[in-house]
Amino acid sequence: MNINSLIKLTAAVSLAATVAGCTKNFEDFNTNKHEATHDQMLTDDNLTGALFQQLERTVILYRDGTGTLDSDYQVTYNLCADIWSGFFAPTLGDGRNNGSFYILDQWARSMFVNKYSKSMNAWVTLSEIAEESQLDHVAAIADVLKVTTMHQVTDYYGAVPYSKVGTSLTPEYDSQESIYRQMLSELDEAITVLSDYYAANPAGSIMTDFDIVYGGNVEQWIKFANTLRLRLAMRCSYADEALARSEAEKSINDPIGIITDNADNAVVEGVDHHPIYEINVNFNDGDCQIGASLDCYLNGFDDPRKFLYAKAANDGELHGVRNGIDNTNWTPYHNTANNVSAPNATIYDIVWINAAEAYFLRAEYELRWGSVSTAKDMYEEGIRKSFEEWGATGADSYIASTRTSTSFVDAVENNNASAPSDVAIAFDTADDFETNLERIMTQKWLAVFPNGCEAWAEYRRTDYPRLIAPVNNYSDGVVDTDLQIRRVPYPISEQSENPSGLAQGISLLGGPDNAGTQLWWDKKQR
Amino acid sequence: MRGTKSISNNNNALYVIDGIPMPNLSGEQPEGVYAGAGQTGDGLSAINPDDIASISVLSGPSAAALYGSAAANGVVIITTKKGSKDSFSLNYSNTTEFSRAYIMPSFQNTYGATEAGSYQSWGEKLATPSNYSPRDFFQTGINENNSISLSSGTEKNQIYVSMAATNSKGIIRNNDVDRYNFNVRNTTNFLKDKMTLDVSLSYANIKEQNMVSQGQYMNPVVPIYLFPAGDDFERIKIYERYDAARNLKTQYWPYGNDLSMQNPYWITENQRYNNNKNRMMASAQLSYKPLDWLTISARGKIDMNNETHERKFNAGTLQLFASEFGYYSKETMVTNQKFGEIIASINKYFGDNIVNLTATIGANIEDIQYSRDYIGGNLNPIANLFTFGNIDRSHSATEMVQEGYRKQKQAIFANVQVGFKSMVYLDLTARNDWSSTLAFSDYSSVFYPTVGLSGIVTEFIPGLKSDVFPYWKLRVSYSEVGNDPEQFLTMPTYSVASGIASTKTRMENTNLQPERTKSWEVGTNIHFFNSKFQIDATWYKSSTFNQFFESSLSAASRWTSVIVNAGQVDNTGVELSARYGDDFGPVHWDTYMTYSHNRNRIVSLLKDWYVPETGETLNISRLDVGGFGGVKNILYEGGSMSDVYVTTLATDEKGYLIQTSTGNVVADYDDEDLIYAGDTAPKHLLSWGNSLSWKGFSLNFLFTGRLGGVAISKTQAVMDYYGISQATADARDRGYVMINGMKSPNVKEYYQTIGANDGVMSMYVYDATNIRLSELSIGYDFPVQNWCKWLKGLNLTLVGHNLWMIYKKAPFDPEMTSSTGTYNQGIDYFMQPSTRSFGFSVKLKF
C-alpha cells in the first residue's frame, strides 16, 4: 500500500466517521450468517422437520453431530440406569459413585437437564406450530415421541414437571400417577388421530424427509405407539391394576396392533457405534464394562447372544464386573488388560422398542390376566424374535433349556457372588406365577440389552431379574443393599432455580428426595 | 485492573497503540479438567518490545470517553518509537535468557510401584532410593532476541525502521516460539510545519509449537510428575517402537491409560500443535494545525491478523484422541479491524492566561470482522498423512465448523478541560456509541459522561508552598461507561451442524439494554523535599449494573440458561505509591514502592427479573461459573467473583470426621456440602523496586509480594492419590496419618480418598501469599565512544528473573495462571513449573 492510497483511505474512513449514526447495516451485521434465521427455517418444512427430528434424536441421546456427546449418554444412562440394571458396571473413579449407591449429582442431573432442554424444548415449539397449522397428525407423533422420552424422566425421578412445561420458567411438578395417566391419554389420542389419518391416507406418510426412525410410515408409528402404551400399562400393574389391564387391552385389541416383527422395531442408527462402544473404548480405556449380573445370566444360560453382546476376555470367556468396587487402580479392569469383557464393538443401533419386548409384555399380560399357555407361547416367541434381531441361532434348544444363572467369579479381584437366581429358561406352565414372571422378566431384560433405562425400571417394578448387589453400599443407610436404588434424586440446582416446584415435587413423592424412595408404580408387595 | 467488574464479559485491560484500540485477539481459554494443550499467545505478543517507546496505564474507567467501552477495565497506552530529528542512530541488541524449571511439588523416591505395570507408587520401600527426578525431563529453555533498529531524520522528515527475531525454546522439548517483526514508521512535516503526516507499517510472523498450559490431556507434565518411583525411566525414552504388522512405529507405553496418560516423549514428539500467525498493521495520521490553538487530525488503521492452528497426532496416539491412523485438524482465523477517526483539538488561554481551555471533539468508527474455519477428524486410511483428503468423513467426531461475525461501533465524543490560573481544573467528557450488537433492541445507542475536578492546593493556599513541600494536588472524578452486548444476542437463530438444524438450550432474550459501570475516584499527589520524595494515593469505587450474564435456569423451563441484564458488582480499592530519588555522591539511587488493595463484592445477581412471556418474576442468587473436579467458582450475592468452594471430608453432627470400618475418612462430594475455600484474588499487592547507578554501572532489583488469597493444587491431590508426593512417603515412614486425633495406619487408603478424582479438595487449599525477588540486573555502559569513533555506545547487562522465592506456601507458583479469563484462577492442574531465568543483553549503538 503506498502513501497515496493510505491518505485516501484515511480520508474515506474519516468521512465515514463523521457520518456517525449511519447504522442501517447494523441489523445485517448482527445476524449470524452461519446459523439459520427463523425465516430460513420456514423454507422446505425445515422448522417442523428440525424440531421433529430433534425429538427423535434425543429419545436416547447419542453423538449426532449437533453437540450432544457420547458423554451425555454416559452420564444420562450408562452411569445411572445401565449400571443399576445389571447390564454394565462402572470401572472409573474411586468407588464412591452411583455404582456404590453414592449418588453423584453431576451424573444424576443429566437426564433431567437433557430431556427438558433438548426434547421438551423441541416438543413445545413443535406442538405450537402443529396446532397453528392444524397438523394434527404431526402433533400426534410429536406426542408419542414426548411420551417415549418423558417416561424415562419420571421413571428416574418420580414426580417431575410435565403438564406445565412450556408455560413457565419454574414449572410445577406433577405426581407420577398423574403423569402416567396423562401419558396414557396422550397415547390414546395420538393413536386415534394416526389411525384416522391412516384410514384416510393408507399410502400417506408423515415427515418423510425428517423421520429417522420410520421414514414417515404411519402404520409403523401406530404399532410403535400401541407397544409403548402396553409398556406403560404394564408399568402400572402393581400401582393400579385396573388401569394397567384396560390400557394394555386397548393396545392388544387395536386393529393395527403392536409390534410383532423386528422390521417394525423403533431404531435409530448410531452415527458410528452405539455410545456404549465409545464409552468403553475411548473413555480412559474402559469407563464401563459388562456387569456381573449379565455375566451370571449369559454364562449360566450359555446364551448364544453372549458374544454378540460382549467381547471375550483374554481367556476366551465372558467376564463381568460388580458394581461398587472400592477401587483405586482400574487398569486390570480396563480394555488393555482384557481380564474382563467389554461390550461388543459391532453394536450400532440404538433400539427404543423391539418386537421381543412387545412379546414379553404380552406374555406378562397373559400371565396376569389371560392364559398361562398363551403366556408361554408369547415368551418363546419373544426369545425367537430376540435371537432373530441379534442374528443368533439355536433358539429352539435355548427355549427348552433348563440351565440357570451361574455364580459370579471376579476375573481380577475377589469380589465374587453366588448365583442370583435358580430359575431355568424353559417355561413351565405348572410353575407358580412368580417363577414364570421371573422367567419373562429375565428374558425381556436380556432382550432389551443395552437399553438399561427400560431394564432398570422393570427391575424395580417386578424385582426381576434378580441382580447382584454392589460390593459396597455408600448410601449412608438411605438405600437398602438388597432392594437397591429405587429412584434418582432431583438435581441440586432445582433448589436455587425452581425452589417452589421442587418443594411440591418432594411432597408428591411421598418420601424423602433420595435414592431409596419408591416411585408410584413401585408397589410390589415384598 | 481494579478488580473484576463483569460477570460474563472480558475483564482485561484494553491495549491502545498510538491512540488506536487494539482488537481483542485472545483465543479460547482452557476450562475444565482436560483442556490446556494447543494454546496461543494474545494479540499484544505480536508487538516487538524494542519498538515501544513508552507504556502508561490508566487504571480507572475515565479513559472510556476516548477509547470506548472496552476501556472500562483500564487502558494500557503504548506509544511506539518514531524517527528522531537531525540524528542518525543504528541500534543492535541481543538479549539471551536461559530458563530452568523452578517451583515444583515435592516428590518421593523411596517407595516403588504397587505392582509391575502400575502407575501408582504404593509398593514396597525401595532398597535404594530411585534416582528418577521429574526435574530431569525439563530442558534448559532459551529465549534469544536479536533486534536492529535505525532511526534517522531531518527537521522535515523522520524515519524509523526496525527488525527483530525472537527464537525461543521452552523447558519442554518441542515447545518453540519464533517471532519475526518488521516495522517502518515515517513522519513528515509540510506546509510550513502546519501539517504532519505519520505513516507506519508493521508486520509480524509468529510460529508457536506445542503450547501447553495445563490439564490432563496431551500434557507431558502428568506422566512426568506421576512416574512411579523405582521404575526405569530410560525405558520409556524409546517412545515409539516398530510394529511389523503395520510397517510403522507406534507408541510404546506399558502403563495403561489412567488419566488418559501417554508416553510423555510421544506427546512432545508425535502430537504436534502448530500455530502460525501473520499480523499486519498499517496506519496513517494526518494532522493539520491551521491556528496556534487548533489542531485537526484524521487517522486510520487496518489491523489484520491471520492465524492457522494445526493439530497433528500420529498413528499410535491414544484412541480417545485419534484413530489408529492418526488425527488432523486445521483452523484458520482471520480478524480484520478497521478504524477511522477525526478529531479537532483546541488549546487556548483566555484573559491573561487566567483561564485555559483544552478541548477535543471527535468521531470514530471501528469495524471488526472475524471468521473461523475449522475442519478436523480422525485419519483414514493412510497413517500420518495429515491432509483433509485423508480425514474420515463418515466418522461422527469429524467436525466442520464455520463461524464469524462483523461488528461495528460508531462514536462521537467530546472532552473539555477548563483550567483556572493553573490551580483548578475541571474535566468533562461525553461519548455516544452506536453499536451494531444492539441492532433489533430498543436501545440503538449508549451515552456516557465523566466529570472530574482537580486542584493544586499548594498554589491556592498562600505560603504553603516551600522547598520542603512544593506540591500538593487533590483530584476527584466520577465516570460512567456503557457497554454493548455480544454480537447476535438480539437476533435468535437456529444452529446448523452436521447437516442438522437444532434449537439452542439458551433462552432467547432480545430485550437487552447496555451494561453500565459507574465509578468514583479520589486521589492526591504530594511532593516533598524538592520533589525528591513523591506520594500518590487513590481511592476508588466502581459499580457495574445491568450486567450481561448468562443466568442458569431450571431445565424444566426447557432452557438451561438465559442472557439477562441484571446484577451488580462493586469494586472498592486503594492504590498507593511512593518514590524517592537522590544523589549520594556519585551514586544515584531511585527507590519506589507500590501498594494496592481491591475488594470485590457481588451485590446482586438475578433479582426480580421479570419475564414478559410468562409473567413471572425470577430470583436467582447463585451462579456456577467455573472450576472442575471438586473445585468450583460459585457466585453468591454478598460474595466475591473469585470465591472458590471445594469438596470436603464428611463429618457427623458433632463435627467429628466420619470414619469407615477400617478407620478411613470419607469424602463428601455432595454439591450442597461444598465449603468455602477462600478468595483466589490477592488481598494486597506490594512491590519495591530500586535502581542504583554509579559511573556507568547500574544495578536494578525488584521485589514483589502478594498477600492473601488462596491457591488450590489439584496436582498435589493427584500426586497424593498416586503415592508419588513426598507427603505420602513421610506418612508411610511415620506409619500413620492423624484422623480425629487418632493415629490411623491406613496411609494409602487415606491419601487415595482425599486425593481422588473429585477428592477432598479442602485438603489442598493453600495460602497464596508469596514474596520474591522477581528481577535483578547489573549493567555497565562501556565508554566505547572514547575508544572507537563509529561506536556510540555499548551496554552489557546481566539479568535474572524470578531468582529467589523468599516466601511461599503453595506447592506451585501461585502467580502462574493457565487462563487469562475471569474464572478458574488460582487452580493448578498440572501446569508447567514456573521458571527461573538468567541471561544477558548486549546493546550496541552506532
Side-chain angles (χ1 to χ4, degrees):
Chain A
M1 191 180 292
N2 61 34
I3 288 178
N4 266 335
S5 55
L6 265 176
I7 294 172
K8 280 181 196 162
L9 171 83
T10 310
V13 172
S14 311
L15 191 67
T18 51
V19 201
C22 172
T23 59
K24 68 177 191 312
N25 291 325
F26 278 13
E27 294 196 349
D28 179 49
F29 294 166
N30 211 32
T31 303
N32 194 336
K33 304 297 181 296
H34 300 288
E35 299 197 335
T37 61
H38 188 75
D39 287 346
Q40 286 171 320
M41 290 299 286
L42 292 178
T43 60
D44 295 324
D45 262 348
N46 266 309
L47 182 57
T48 326
L51 295 166
F52 183 88
Q53 206 185 79
Q54 184 168 327
L55 261 175
E56 291 190 328
R57 284 185 289 98
T58 56
V59 164
I60 289 181
L61 305 162
Y62 65 104
R63 185 169 68 186
D64 58 4
T66 66
T68 302
L69 301 172
D70 288 320
S71 55
D72 288 309
Y73 180 98
Q74 182 182 28
V75 289
T76 306
Y77 300 102
N78 193 249
L79 291 167
C80 292
D82 285 2
I83 61 178
W84 297 325
S85 68
F87 285 161
F88 297 101
T91 44
L92 77 173
D94 67 339
R96 296 181 71 82
N97 57 41
N98 290 6
S100 57
F101 299 171
Y102 185 93
I103 307 294
L104 296 178
D105 179 66
Q106 51 180 322
W107 300 352
R109 70 196 313 266
S110 181
M111 171 71 87
F112 193 94
V113 172
N114 276 299
K115 292 298 174 165
Y116 287 106
S117 65
K118 291 176 178 163
S119 314
M120 290 306 280
N121 187 311
W123 179 83
V124 171
T125 316
L126 180 58
S127 61
E128 283 166 6
I129 293 171
E131 193 174 340
E132 276 168 28
S133 320
Q134 300 186 321
L135 300 166
D136 290 352
H137 49 290
V138 174
I141 301 182
D143 284 354
V144 172
L145 286 167
K146 176 177 81 160
V147 173
T148 315
T149 211
M150 288 304 291
H151 85 73
Q152 299 171 11
V153 181
T154 180
D155 290 348
Y156 262 41
Y157 305 98
V160 286
Y162 190 74
S163 62
K164 299 284 169 28
V165 176
T167 63
S168 163
L169 297 186
T170 51
E172 287 172 20
Y173 282 49
D174 298 290
S175 72
Q176 187 172 56
E177 179 177 4
S178 71
I179 295 170
Y180 260 80
R181 286 181 184 281
Q182 192 182 332
M183 289 193 299
L184 287 165
S185 83
E186 284 167 334
L187 288 177
D188 244 16
E189 170 80 22
I191 290 165
T192 307
V193 170
L194 292 174
S195 298
D196 291 350
Y197 180 90
Y198 183 56
N201 317 277
S205 73
I206 299 170
M207 306 296 326
T208 319
D209 297 338
F210 297 96
D211 179 1
I212 56 173
V213 177
Y214 288 128
N217 185 316
V218 187
E219 187 186 9
Q220 286 183 311
W221 274 114
I222 296 168
K223 287 183 184 173
F224 172 77
N226 274 317
T227 314
L228 179 65
R229 175 165 58 184
L230 183 57
R231 179 196 271 184
L232 300 191
M234 297 314 292
R235 193 91 91 235
C236 303
S237 62
Y238 291 101
D240 188 338
E241 189 172 348
L243 176 76
R245 186 173 176 179
S246 67
E247 291 292 326
E249 275 162 7
K250 283 186 198 165
S251 281
I252 291 168
N253 299 330
D254 184 90
I256 293 166
I258 61 174
I259 296 171
T260 53
D261 199 326
N262 279 320
D264 293 332
N265 292 354
V267 177
V268 173
E269 274 179 50
V271 178
D272 309 303
H273 290 97
H274 192 284
I276 291 285
Y277 169 84
E278 284 289 321
I279 295 162
N280 172 267
V281 172
N282 284 341
F283 293 3
N284 304 311
D285 196 32
D287 267 0
C288 77
Q289 301 291 5
I290 292 294
S293 300
L294 191 63
D295 165 335
C296 296
Y297 287 99
L298 288 176
N299 281 322
F301 293 165
D302 193 20
D303 201 303
R305 291 166 293 187
K306 184 157 80 172
F307 292 121
L308 299 167
Y309 288 7
K311 287 197 269 194
N314 50 19
D315 62 356
E317 299 293 323
L318 183 149
H319 294 290
V321 180
R322 274 183 79 177
N323 279 338
I325 302 177
D326 238 349
N327 209 334
T328 52
N329 178 14
W330 288 109
T331 309
Y333 285 103
H334 281 168
N335 296 335
T336 306
N338 200 24
N339 293 316
V340 297
S341 293
N344 189 352
T346 60
I347 303 175
Y348 288 86
D349 291 347
I350 298 162
V351 180
W352 300 350
I353 283 186
N354 55 20
E357 184 186 345
Y359 277 102
F360 290 119
L361 286 164
R362 281 175 68 187
E364 185 191 347
Y365 170 86
E366 292 296 335
L367 182 69
R368 284 184 189 279
W369 305 305
S371 126
V372 69
S373 68
T374 313
K376 180 174 187 283
D377 295 343
M378 294 292 166
Y379 170 78
E380 292 172 352
E381 194 54 25
I383 293 172
R384 285 195 188 90
K385 288 295 172 198
S386 178
F387 275 52
E388 181 188 291
E389 183 189 344
W390 286 88
T393 53
D396 289 336
S397 60
Y398 182 80
I399 285 165
S401 167
T402 55
R403 296 182 67 106
T404 61
S405 70
T406 60
S407 57
F408 173 71
V409 180
D410 189 331
V412 177
E413 288 174 3
N414 219 4
N415 303 303
N416 301 336
S418 50
S421 167
D422 55 6
V423 171
I425 302 168
F427 197 100
D428 187 344
T429 51
D431 279 341
D432 64 12
F433 173 84
E434 282 297 323
T435 307
N436 281 328
L437 180 65
E438 181 175 350
R439 281 197 177 100
I440 294 169
M441 298 314 295
T442 305
Q443 283 302 325
K444 184 168 86 171
W445 176 77
L446 287 170
V448 301
F449 176 87
N451 182 354
C453 203
E454 186 56 23
W456 179 50
E458 290 293 81
Y459 163 74
R460 283 176 291 161
R461 175 173 69 95
T462 63
D463 292 347
Y464 303 126
R466 297 172 201 266
L467 299 178
I468 294 172
V471 178
N472 289 291
N473 177 346
Y474 289 134
S475 70
D476 240 348
V478 164
V479 179
D480 183 292
T481 306
D482 295 322
L483 285 177
Q484 308 210 19
I485 301 266
R486 305 313 291 186
R487 71 177 277 277
V488 182
Y490 292 124
I492 288 167
S493 54
E494 283 292 279
Q495 292 170 7
S496 58
E497 290 159 5
N498 186 8
S500 62
L502 177 67
Q504 185 198 13
I506 293 170
S507 75
L508 290 169
L509 270 186
D513 176 20
N514 63 36
T517 297
Q518 292 176 231
L519 302 183
W520 167 74
W521 48 246
D522 182 2
K523 290 240 169 39
K524 186 173 178 178
Q525 297 299 315
R526 299 185 174 93
Chain B
M1 270 179 234
R2 295 191 173 174
T4 48
K5 296 180 178 68
S6 183
I7 295 170
S8 292
N9 285 351
N10 187 351
N11 278 300
N12 295 325
L14 173 74
Y15 290 101
V16 172
I17 300 181
D18 294 327
I20 298 174
M22 198 178 75
N24 176 24
L25 297 173
S26 58
E28 245 175 64
Q29 296 302 312
E31 280 176 6
V33 177
Y34 307 113
Q39 296 298 301
T40 184
D42 64 7
L44 189 70
S45 58
I47 309 285
N48 175 7
D50 284 332
D51 288 342
I52 295 173
S54 69
I55 296 181
S56 62
V57 171
L58 298 172
S59 308
S62 53
L66 281 178
Y67 304 116
S69 54
N73 305 307
V75 183
V76 177
I77 293 175
I78 295 171
T79 309
T80 62
K81 285 179 184 162
K82 282 183 178 181
S84 49
K85 286 176 187 171
D86 295 327
S87 74
F88 170 87
S89 72
L90 179 66
N91 292 283
Y92 165 78
S93 79
N94 171 292
T95 308
T96 305
E97 271 193 77
F98 303 92
S99 54
R100 293 287 291 167
Y102 185 25
I103 307 291
M104 283 169 72
S106 308
F107 302 90
Q108 62 97 359
N109 62 351
T110 51
Y111 290 90
T114 309
E115 62 200 348
S118 167
Y119 222 69
Q120 300 197 6
S121 300
W122 287 105
E124 296 300 310
K125 190 146 188 169
L126 299 167
T128 49
S130 158
N131 58 11
Y132 168 75
S133 165
R135 204 173 275 280
D136 300 343
F137 174 79
F138 298 101
Q139 62 184 12
T140 299
I142 302 175
N143 186 323
E144 184 178 357
N145 180 313
N146 285 289
S147 83
I148 185 159
S149 67
L150 182 146
S151 166
S152 178
T154 63
E155 202 56 47
K156 296 283 177 206
N157 193 71
Q158 301 95 41
I159 188 158
Y160 174 83
V161 180
S162 75
M163 283 188 281
T166 304
N167 306 91
S168 61
K169 276 166 44 173
I171 56 170
I172 293 179
R173 276 180 64 83
N174 284 330
N175 169 210
D176 302 326
V177 178
D178 296 297
R179 183 181 69 204
Y180 301 94
N181 290 89
F182 174 79
N183 184 21
V184 56
R185 183 167 181 179
N186 190 79
T187 313
T188 316
N189 303 330
F190 41 93
L191 290 182
K192 293 179 184 161
D193 291 348
K194 281 185 176 168
M195 197 172 254
T196 309
L197 176 67
D198 191 352
V199 181
S200 100
L201 188 69
S202 70
Y203 169 78
N205 173 262
I206 304 172
K207 288 190 169 64
E208 297 161 326
Q209 176 164 274
N210 295 358
M211 308 270 280
V212 180
S213 66
Q214 62 123 37
Q216 196 166 305
Y217 286 169
M218 274 84 81
N219 181 356
V221 176
V222 183
I224 286 301
Y225 276 14
L226 300 179
F227 191 76
D231 274 24
D232 182 9
F233 191 70
E234 293 303 314
R235 194 169 58 130
I236 69 154
K237 284 186 175 171
I238 305 158
Y239 58 92
E240 55 182 6
R241 302 202 175 176
Y242 183 69
D243 179 342
R246 299 194 60 193
N247 192 24
L248 54 81
K249 282 181 174 179
T250 56
Q251 180 172 192
Y252 174 70
W253 183 241
Y255 289 106
N257 300 109
D258 277 14
L259 299 180
S260 307
M261 273 187 282
Q262 303 183 79
N263 189 314
Y265 291 96
W266 178 270
I267 298 174
T268 59
E269 305 299 319
N270 283 341
Q271 293 202 279
R272 289 175 309 286
Y273 291 78
N274 289 102
N275 304 334
N276 188 7
K277 306 187 196 187
N278 286 299
R279 180 99 179 260
M280 211 249 338
M281 289 181 271
S283 68
Q285 172 166 337
L286 186 68
S287 301
Y288 179 53
K289 208 168 174 175
L291 300 165
D292 266 358
W293 50 271
L294 175 68
T295 309
I296 297 167
S297 57
R299 59 188 167 193
K301 182 178 184 185
I302 293 175
D303 184 338
M304 184 145 108
N305 185 56
N306 189 324
E307 80 187 72
T308 58
H309 297 181
E310 281 186 295
R311 298 181 174 196
K312 297 173 180 172
F313 303 161
N314 279 22
T317 296
L318 187 61
Q319 299 271 293
L320 178 59
F321 310 121
S323 73
E324 57 187 313
F325 308 104
Y327 171 91
Y328 176 59
S329 77
K330 181 176 182 180
E331 63 184 331
T332 304
M333 292 179 281
V334 179
T335 309
N336 199 335
Q337 181 212 34
K338 296 189 192 77
F339 184 90
E341 185 168 64
I342 182 158
I343 291 178
S345 313
I346 297 162
N347 186 349
K348 199 165 168 52
Y349 287 87
F350 298 94
D352 271 352
N353 292 354
I354 290 174
V355 175
N356 171 243
L357 174 76
T358 51
T360 305
I361 63 165
N364 67 31
I365 180 168
E366 184 186 25
D367 186 286
I368 296 178
Q369 277 178 279
Y370 168 81
S371 70
R372 171 176 175 262
D373 302 331
Y374 170 94
I375 296 177
N378 289 341
L379 299 183
N380 192 19
I382 312 294
N384 304 336
L385 176 65
F386 302 103
T387 185
F388 290 155
N390 195 33
I391 288 180
D392 181 357
R393 256 179 285 180
S394 66
H395 195 275
S396 65
T398 299
E399 267 192 288
M400 287 195 278
V401 181
Q402 196 176 20
E403 56 191 14
Y405 58 80
R406 177 170 184 184
K407 53 185 180 183
Q408 197 177 84
K409 234 186 217 184
Q410 300 169 4
I412 53 170
F413 55 90
N415 172 5
V416 178
Q417 186 187 64
V418 184
F420 177 71
K421 281 187 169 174
S422 301
M423 278 194 255
V424 183
Y425 296 89
L426 175 69
D427 275 273
L428 297 168
T429 70
R431 183 180 177 103
N432 201 70
D433 280 349
W434 289 263
S435 168
S436 65
T437 64
L438 281 167
F440 304 107
S441 83
D442 296 340
Y443 302 83
S444 61
S445 75
V446 198
F447 173 79
Y448 42 98
T450 70
V451 55
L453 185 67
S454 59
I456 317 292
V457 182
T458 38
E459 296 293 331
F460 59 75
I461 299 183
L464 192 62
K465 189 173 172 177
S466 66
D467 283 352
V468 176
F469 188 34
Y471 185 76
W472 181 19
K473 179 179 174 182
L474 285 171
R475 58 199 155 81
V476 56
S477 69
Y478 170 78
S479 60
E480 281 191 24
V481 184
N483 200 0
D484 52 341
E486 258 182 66
Q487 65 277 0
F488 306 145
L489 290 180
T490 55
M491 180 60 186
T493 44
Y494 293 80
S495 45
V496 182
S498 312
I500 300 168
S502 52
T503 64
K504 292 185 177 161
T505 59
R506 190 168 78 190
M507 184 182 164
E508 299 165 5
N509 178 16
T510 56
N511 182 31
L512 292 172
Q513 48 177 296
E515 175 176 296
R516 203 161 275 274
T517 299
K518 298 179 180 178
S519 46
W520 280 97
E521 182 174 330
V522 178
T524 185
N525 305 59
I526 310 173
H527 294 189
F528 297 102
F529 312 118
N530 286 326
S531 298
K532 284 178 185 166
F533 182 48
Q534 303 181 2
I535 293 173
D536 197 333
T538 305
W539 172 90
Y540 61 85
K541 180 182 164 108
S542 73
S543 300
T544 306
F545 303 91
N546 272 343
Q547 299 230 0
F548 300 115
F549 68 90
E550 191 162 358
S551 177
S552 53
L553 290 176
S554 164
S557 67
R558 72 197 164 103
W559 317 101
T560 54
S561 65
V562 60
I563 302 260
V564 292
N565 255 147
Q568 181 187 344
V569 173
D570 284 5
N571 282 284
T572 315
V574 174
E575 292 164 348
L576 299 172
S577 70
R579 178 178 286 275
Y580 181 75
D582 207 348
D583 291 315
F584 299 88
V587 178
H588 182 78
W589 180 41
D590 265 318
T591 183
Y592 56 95
M593 290 186 81
T594 64
Y595 166 83
S596 68
H597 162 79
N598 182 71
R599 182 166 174 266
N600 176 277
R601 186 165 166 268
I602 301 160
V603 179
S604 66
L605 289 168
L606 194 63
K607 203 168 188 180
D608 298 333
W609 182 61
Y610 179 71
V611 192
E613 291 87 349
T614 63
E616 289 165 285
T617 303
L618 281 194
N619 283 289
I620 288 177
S621 52
R622 167 184 171 149
L623 196 62
D624 288 41
V625 286
F628 51 84
V631 186
K632 271 192 165 180
N633 290 121
I634 307 174
L635 307 188
Y636 286 109
E637 286 177 4
S640 105
M641 284 177 61
S642 36
D643 283 346
V644 175
Y645 295 80
V646 290
T647 46
T648 185
L649 289 168
T651 48
D652 63 17
E653 57 277 9
K654 286 179 190 150
Y656 288 108
L657 298 177
I658 294 173
Q659 287 178 273
T660 63
S661 54
T662 56
N664 191 27
V665 292
V666 174
D668 184 347
Y669 297 134
D670 288 347
D671 191 73
E672 292 163 301
D673 299 335
L674 292 178
I675 60 162
Y676 177 61
D679 186 341
T680 56
K683 289 239 176 342
H684 312 280
L685 286 174
L686 285 162
S687 72
W688 179 39
N690 287 279
S691 84
L692 289 142
S693 56
W694 174 71
K695 291 187 176 171
F697 284 96
S698 63
L699 169 70
N700 292 288
F701 55 95
L702 174 67
F703 291 94
T704 55
R706 164 214 166 107
L707 309 178
V710 296
I712 292 158
S713 177
K714 277 192 69 67
T715 311
Q716 184 70 33
V718 176
M719 284 172 49
D720 280 356
Y721 180 86
Y722 279 83
I724 197 67
S725 65
Q726 184 59 42
T728 61
D730 292 347
R732 278 177 276 183
D733 290 343
R734 196 166 56 226
Y736 61 87
V737 286
M738 294 297 283
I739 299 172
N740 281 336
M742 311 275 278
K743 291 177 180 174
S744 163
N746 299 324
V747 173
K748 176 182 174 184
E749 225 185 331
Y750 172 78
Y751 280 107
Q752 294 213 319
T753 301
I754 65 169
N757 201 11
D758 283 349
V760 181
M761 291 314 297
S762 60
M763 311 299 281
Y764 300 99
V765 177
Y766 304 88
D767 182 355
T769 300
N770 63 82
I771 297 167
R772 74 183 80 202
L773 173 60
S774 50
E775 204 179 316
L776 172 71
S777 67
I778 300 167
Y780 181 60
D781 280 314
F782 291 89
V784 280
Q785 49 278 50
N786 303 341
W787 311 333
C788 173
K789 267 186 190 160
W790 43 271
L791 207 53
K792 290 185 198 145
L794 167 63
N795 174 280
L796 180 67
T797 302
L798 300 177
V799 61
H801 287 105
N802 210 14
L803 292 177
W804 179 28
M805 185 67 84
I806 300 163
Y807 179 91
K808 171 188 73 77
K809 285 279 186 221
F812 66 104
D813 186 337
E815 300 308 306
M816 296 271 288
T817 177
S818 60
S819 165
T820 59
T822 304
Y823 305 108
N824 293 315
Q825 297 294 329
I827 308 170
D828 171 37
Y829 193 54
F830 293 100
M831 279 193 281
Q832 284 187 25
S834 69
T835 57
R836 170 153 56 175
S837 63
F838 296 93
F840 59 85
S841 78
V842 183
K843 288 193 172 78
L844 280 166
K845 191 173 180 183
F846 301 97

